[in-house]
Amino acid sequence: MEGENMKLALREVGKLIKAKLRQGAKDKGHKATGDLDKSFKYRVVANELTLFAEQYAVAISKGVKKDLNYSKTSEDFTNSIIRWAKAKGIKPNRDKKGRFASYKSMAMAMAISIRRNGISKRFGYGGSGFIDIVKKNTKKEIKTILKTAYKKDILQQLDKLKEI
C-alpha cells in the first residue's frame, strides 16, 4: 500500500505535536535560551514519524533521577547550566573580597544540587510533566487524524482492486 494519505496525516500529526510541545514548554516556563523551543522537530520517512528535541527536554518534563554519586558531573552539563544562567541573567555571588566567583564554580554547585535534589524546586524537584500533558491532550486528535488517513488509503486500494 502506498499510503500517501497516511504520510500526509503523519506530517499533520508532526506539526501538531511540535506546536503543542512548544506551547506546553512555554506554559510551564521553560524558555531561557530558546534552544528547547527551536529543537522540537519531526521527520516522516516511510510512514514513520520521528520526533526530536534537545536531550534535556525529557529531564525537564520527567525530572532527573537523584544520584548518590552527585559530586561527579560532566563538563557538558555544567556548560549547559552556564548558558542557561547567563540567558536568565543569573550571576555568581561575590566572594569575601568582593569579586564575583566564577560561572564554572556556580554551575558546579548547581549541578551537584540538581543531582542531589532534583531539577526544579517549583515542580517539587520533579519534572514539569509538559510532555505527558501534550500526550494526554492530543491523543484523541491524533487517533482521529491517523484513522481517517488509513481509511482513505484502504479505500483507494480497494478502488484499484476493482480495476484489475
Side-chain angles (χ1 to χ4, degrees):
M1 183 183 302
E2 292 173 19
E4 287 305 314
N5 291 302
M6 184 57 77
K7 285 180 187 174
L8 292 171
L10 287 171
R11 286 187 190 108
E12 184 181 343
V13 168
K15 287 178 189 174
L16 173 70
I17 292 171
K18 178 180 168 180
K20 296 287 186 179
L21 286 171
R22 282 181 167 170
Q23 188 60 49
K26 183 180 176 186
D27 290 349
K28 292 292 184 177
H30 302 306
K31 182 122 174 115
T33 63
D35 289 347
L36 180 64
D37 186 64
K38 290 181 228 164
S39 76
F40 294 120
K41 294 180 169 102
Y42 69 93
R43 180 175 50 212
V44 176
V45 176
N47 282 343
E48 184 175 311
L49 173 65
T50 307
L51 302 167
F52 302 94
E54 283 285 353
Q55 189 174 4
Y56 59 85
V58 174
I60 291 170
S61 182
K62 294 188 184 289
V64 294
K65 183 179 172 187
K66 293 180 184 178
D67 187 355
L68 298 176
N69 195 11
Y70 55 80
S71 62
K72 293 182 182 177
T73 186
S74 74
E75 191 172 337
D76 287 344
F77 188 38
T78 54
N79 288 339
S80 295
I81 292 172
I82 290 169
R83 284 189 61 231
W84 170 83
K86 287 180 178 180
K88 287 288 203 177
I90 298 170
K91 295 181 180 176
N93 288 329
R94 295 181 184 268
D95 63 14
K96 292 177 184 175
K97 295 181 182 178
R99 298 175 296 189
F100 281 110
S102 71
Y103 272 98
K104 183 132 181 112
S105 63
M106 178 187 74
M108 286 293 291
M110 292 171 93
I112 289 169
S113 177
I114 289 168
R115 294 282 189 228
R116 183 185 304 151
N117 301 312
I119 200 153
S120 178
K121 184 177 181 179
R122 70 184 158 130
F123 298 115
Y125 292 106
S128 67
F130 80 94
I131 293 174
D132 288 334
I133 292 168
V134 169
K135 278 185 196 177
K136 181 182 171 193
N137 293 341
T138 59
K139 191 175 186 176
K140 286 181 183 176
E141 189 174 357
I142 291 169
K143 187 176 181 179
T144 302
I145 293 167
L146 296 177
K147 196 164 51 169
T148 303
Y150 194 62
K151 182 179 175 181
K152 285 180 183 178
D153 283 339
I154 289 173
L155 291 174
Q156 284 177 349
Q157 288 299 311
L158 286 172
D159 287 343
K160 288 180 182 180
L161 183 66
K162 291 177 190 176
E163 295 172 3
I164 295 177

